Amino acid sequence: MASENLTERQPDQTLGQLAYDSIRADILKGHFAPGSPLRLQALKERYGFSFSPLREALNRLQSEQLVVSYAARGFRVTEISTEEMWDAIDTRILIDCEAFRRSIRRGDDDWEGRVMGTFHALSRAFERNLELGAEVTEEQVHQLEDRHRAFHHALVSESGSNWMKVFSTQLYNQTQRYRWPYFSTRGGNVFLKKSYLAEHREIAERAVARDEEAAVALMAKGFRRTGEIIESLLKGEDETDRGT
Amino acid sequence: MASENLTERQPDQTLGQLAYDSIRADILKGHFAPGSPLRLQALKERYGFSFSPLREALNRLQSEQLVVSYAARGFRVTEISTEEMWDAIDTRILIDCEAFRRSIRRGDDDWEGRVMGTFHALSRAFERNLELGAEVTEEQVHQLEDRHRAFHHALVSESGSNWMKVFSTQLYNQTQRYRWPYFSTRGGNVFLKKSYLAEHREIAERAVARDEEAAVALMAKGFRRTGEIIESLLKGEDETDRGT
DNA sequence: AAAGCGCAGATTTTCGAAATAATGGGCGAA
DNA sequence: TTCGCCCATTATTTCGAAAATCTGCGCTTT
């Protein structure tokens, strides 16, 4: 009994928090598809919590726009669309580029170290997954996504603004929902992926060189380019669907 | 029985939603002071709801940074500080000015009408409260705040970006907590207040004249000036506290 | 046949209480 | 006296079930 507490539940970790983390991860992973209903009974069976912590988690996710609620008709995963994606990307350019700019100005050696360190880890995972090709495991795809997040977080981590951090995280989560099908694709365009990594390297290099304008411009360009890739991917899927 | 339902509960209004609206309003009003604990028993007595809808509301407010939660130690109203205020103002300048710029570009006649209309309503309430001086009722102070919100909302309402709208609203709420002691002050500096209104008039005029640069610059300046006024007010209070 | 009505089943929302965790005060040991 | 421990109290968190609400189907009526 006591050991259960120690292993299963971290300090400061309520079931509500756990439910929030789990559901959010499952939404970002795409386990719950955009637009699909989140039925309490189903969530209860999946996670083993009762309604209360689940509802608390859903209410938090609602405030973060990952979930929408309809009065007395429950919750659904927020829909995705090209328009929504571009809105998220445009707003992310606004927030993250400003936070990045400030970080370049304010960041110290330690920050530079985090930028290069997280980039290195990202590139390792990236290249490894690229080599593995279709052999890559789910776990390895997750690690790549985690390191991608860590890198982008490091870039903007010294903005000195709590609000930008909050908004940046929210928008990262939102855009991850779109990025996922791209990263997780077993096949994918190897050439595109390599240039994606090269872009990130350039951003990291310009950042530690304190080349504010170039670094920020590259970041904005990268966000837009990713958007374009996803857009064409989504369109391709639509056509495939129509074809079958 | 049926009439109770009709009067007390709007369609599509759950107790959770009602609790959310009520607690948020009470936080913004300052009824729950920054840093003060939000005990469930106390909230239950105040609003008459049971724990579940109250906790749902608190979880949503937590995601919006109006409330902080400590695992197994409940919720508190988020603290205020000069640093936090400037962070909120700076971020608001970033978001709202961009949203304003887009609205000036995209807004049609209807938008112009809303800008002028909400400004007119704001100025009426403003002048009325100024005349009333110390005689002004709580209700009238609320009306002024509501119209102030409506005006600022109108300015950025045609940005076409849902994310900017969400963030803008969040930051408006946050900054309202700081603005409140200023607006609600019975006495206050009449000269300052008049120039505050004049600034808003200028913004509205530049907006409908589609003078993007001037309008946006005025908005940013207004945000900063408000921040400076609040800052001096807060410092004054500190000194008063020390003096007594 | 189409539209309206009402009922049965499914689902969400809300409640009250049990379980769990934090707090503060008193007591004993160093 | 001061520190640390234990226990009673208080508050939060979680649960299971009751209440309220929605959904879809079949029936009746026009």
Side-chain angles (χ1 to χ4, degrees):
Chain A
M1 293 280 180
S3 71
E4 242 187 27
N5 253 358
L6 285 176
T7 53
E8 288 195 0
R9 215 172 323 158
Q10 322 293 4
D12 292 352
Q13 186 92 313
T14 62
L15 290 187
Q17 180 65 37
L18 214 63
Y20 168 78
D21 290 337
S22 311
I23 299 175
R24 186 181 61 179
D26 279 337
I27 290 173
L28 296 186
K29 248 192 285 189
H31 180 268
F32 296 122
S36 64
L38 295 162
R39 297 242 171 65
L40 288 166
Q41 190 56 42
L43 296 176
K44 176 176 177 172
E45 274 153 22
R46 179 170 174 82
Y47 303 110
F49 312 137
S50 79
F51 290 168
S52 317
L54 291 172
R55 286 185 63 84
E56 289 185 13
L58 291 169
N59 273 287
R60 288 173 64 182
L61 293 165
Q62 179 191 5
S63 279
E64 293 173 22
Q65 323 288 317
L66 282 174
V67 154
V68 287
S69 92
Y70 307 87
R73 276 182 294 152
F75 300 85
R76 281 171 177 272
V77 181
T78 304
E79 287 282 5
I80 63 173
S81 70
T82 342
E83 295 77 39
E84 240 293 329
M85 181 189 73
W86 282 115
D87 182 18
I89 289 177
D90 284 348
T91 311
R92 192 166 173 225
I93 288 172
L94 187 66
I95 301 281
D96 271 39
C97 285
E98 176 63 21
F100 189 25
R101 193 181 289 277
R102 293 191 191 187
S103 294
I104 294 170
R105 286 192 199 144
R106 301 169 22 108
D108 55 8
D109 301 353
D110 197 49
W111 171 72
E112 288 185 11
R114 286 207 305 283
V115 168
M116 293 315 287
T118 53
F119 172 75
H120 182 79
L122 168 66
S123 68
R124 285 291 194 217
F126 208 102
E127 282 162 352
R128 181 200 59 195
N129 286 12
L130 218 52
E131 273 184 37
L132 288 169
E135 304 286 300
V136 72
T137 67
E138 176 113 352
E139 174 68 24
Q140 287 168 321
V141 175
H142 276 105
Q143 192 175 52
L144 175 56
E145 174 54 40
D146 285 347
R147 292 185 176 182
H148 184 257
R149 177 187 292 266
F151 175 64
H152 277 280
H153 182 76
L155 292 179
V156 300
S157 61
E158 289 299 314
S159 74
S161 165
N162 188 56
W163 279 102
M164 289 191 196
K165 197 173 83 186
V166 168
F167 292 159
S168 174
T169 303
Q170 246 180 90
L171 290 168
Y172 186 94
N173 288 339
Q174 193 62 29
T175 50
Q176 182 180 335
R177 300 203 307 149
Y178 294 92
R179 212 165 33 243
W180 184 258
Y182 175 52
F183 264 155
S184 71
T185 308
R186 297 294 200 259
N189 187 323
V190 173
F191 176 74
L192 266 184
K193 287 190 175 182
K194 277 189 177 162
S195 78
Y196 189 77
L197 179 61
E199 274 173 17
H200 282 69
R201 170 173 284 117
E202 268 195 287
I203 291 172
E205 281 167 0
R206 288 301 89 207
V208 300
R210 311 284 170 164
D211 187 348
E212 199 178 302
E213 295 309 326
V216 167
L218 281 168
M219 176 180 269
K221 193 177 133 209
F223 288 159
R224 286 204 191 85
R225 222 174 78 86
T226 307
E228 279 154 19
I229 292 168
I230 305 288
E231 185 170 13
S232 69
L233 226 72
L234 288 175
K235 278 194 182 135
E237 265 182 26
D238 279 356
E239 272 156 35
T240 308
D241 285 353
R242 255 177 271 149
T244 53
Chain B
M1 293 281 178
S3 70
E4 242 187 28
N5 251 358
L6 286 175
T7 52
E8 287 196 358
R9 223 191 295 172
Q10 322 294 4
D12 291 351
Q13 186 92 314
T14 62
L15 291 187
Q17 179 65 36
L18 215 62
Y20 168 78
D21 291 337
S22 310
I23 299 175
R24 187 181 61 179
D26 278 337
I27 290 174
L28 296 186
K29 248 193 286 192
H31 180 267
F32 296 123
S36 64
L38 294 163
R39 298 241 170 66
L40 288 165
Q41 190 56 42
L43 296 176
K44 176 176 176 171
E45 276 154 22
R46 180 172 172 79
Y47 303 111
F49 311 137
S50 79
F51 290 169
S52 317
L54 291 172
R55 286 186 63 83
E56 289 185 12
L58 292 169
N59 273 288
R60 288 173 64 183
L61 293 165
Q62 179 192 6
S63 279
E64 294 172 22
Q65 322 289 316
L66 282 174
V67 154
V68 289
S69 92
Y70 307 86
R73 276 181 295 151
F75 300 84
R76 281 172 177 272
V77 181
T78 305
E79 287 281 4
I80 62 173
S81 70
T82 341
E83 293 76 39
E84 240 293 328
M85 181 189 74
W86 281 114
D87 182 18
I89 288 177
D90 284 349
T91 311
R92 194 168 171 223
I93 287 172
L94 188 66
I95 301 281
D96 271 40
C97 285
E98 176 63 21
F100 188 25
R101 194 181 288 279
R102 293 191 190 185
S103 294
I104 292 171
R105 285 192 200 145
R106 302 169 20 107
D108 55 7
D109 302 352
D110 197 48
W111 172 72
E112 289 185 12
R114 287 206 303 283
V115 168
M116 294 315 287
T118 53
F119 172 74
H120 182 79
L122 168 66
S123 66
R124 285 293 194 214
F126 208 103
E127 282 162 353
R128 181 199 57 197
N129 286 12
L130 219 50
E131 273 183 39
L132 287 169
E135 304 287 299
V136 72
T137 67
E138 175 113 352
E139 173 67 24
Q140 286 169 323
V141 175
H142 276 103
Q143 192 176 50
L144 175 56
E145 175 54 41
D146 285 347
R147 292 186 176 180
H148 185 257
R149 175 186 293 264
F151 175 64
H152 277 280
H153 182 76
L155 291 179
V156 300
S157 60
E158 288 300 313
S159 75
S161 165
N162 187 56
W163 280 102
M164 289 192 195
K165 197 172 82 185
V166 169
F167 292 160
S168 174
T169 302
Q170 243 178 95
L171 291 168
Y172 186 93
N173 288 340
Q174 193 62 28
T175 50
Q176 180 179 338
R177 300 200 310 146
Y178 293 93
R179 213 165 31 243
W180 184 258
Y182 175 52
F183 264 157
S184 70
T185 308
R186 298 293 199 260
N189 188 322
V190 173
F191 176 74
L192 265 183
K193 288 191 174 180
K194 276 189 177 162
S195 78
Y196 189 77
L197 180 61
E199 275 174 16
H200 281 68
R201 170 174 284 117
E202 269 196 286
I203 291 173
E205 280 168 359
R206 288 301 89 208
V208 300
R210 311 286 170 165
D211 187 349
E212 199 177 303
E213 296 308 327
V216 166
L218 281 168
M219 176 181 271
K221 195 177 131 209
F223 288 159
R224 286 202 191 87
R225 221 173 81 86
T226 305
E228 280 154 17
I229 292 169
I230 306 286
E231 185 169 14
S232 68
L233 226 71
L234 288 174
K235 276 191 183 139
E237 267 181 25
D238 279 357
E239 272 157 34
T240 308
D241 286 352
R242 253 178 274 150
T244 53

